[in-house]
Amino acid sequence: MIAKQLSIFLENKSGRLTEVTEVLGRENINLSALSIAENADFGILRGIVSDPDRAYTILKEHHFAVNITNVVGICCPNTPGALARVLGYLSGGRVSIEYM
């Protein structure tokens, strides 16, 4: 499945993540998956939301630095070795994974 992912730049200070989730919540946009990569100064919140185009516009209006990219979503059984099998298919097809 192809999904649109938001990447949101966040200063590493108390309350910034709360601000993003409050903005999305007020607009009735569901954040169904997220990951955060961070260092001492900033973080990148990567998220899948219920309405990515609207979320992008709203976050821009609230002065967040945000980008949309297409990502591939996979589903595999919650059993030992299932992810390894899926990744084996991808690497066999020379598909590179940037992050997960």
Side-chain angles (χ1 to χ4, degrees):
M1 154 183 92
I2 302 293
K4 290 183 179 182
Q5 173 187 267
L6 297 179
S7 296
I8 307 161
F9 176 88
L10 298 174
E11 298 87 354
N12 196 2
K13 66 179 187 179
S14 181
R16 271 314 256 171
L17 180 58
T18 301
E19 291 175 36
V20 170
T21 58
E22 287 176 343
V23 166
L24 295 174
R26 278 194 305 269
E27 295 295 327
N28 203 32
I29 296 172
N30 188 39
L31 178 62
S32 59
L34 71 90
S35 69
I36 298 175
E38 54 83 28
N39 66 32
D41 300 318
F42 66 90
I44 304 292
L45 182 158
R46 291 186 172 113
I48 305 296
V49 297
S50 56
D51 190 341
D53 295 322
R54 198 163 126 254
Y56 174 87
T57 300
I58 290 163
L59 290 169
K60 283 286 198 183
E61 289 171 358
H62 284 84
H63 309 291
F64 286 97
V66 60
N67 192 20
I68 294 180
T69 54
N70 288 329
V71 295
V72 176
I74 61 166
C75 187
C76 65
N78 187 17
T79 57
L83 181 58
R85 284 190 298 280
V86 171
L87 295 176
Y89 294 128
L90 294 173
S91 61
R94 298 201 173 299
V95 174
S96 296
I97 298 172
E98 292 182 27
Y99 58 88
M100 222 165 106

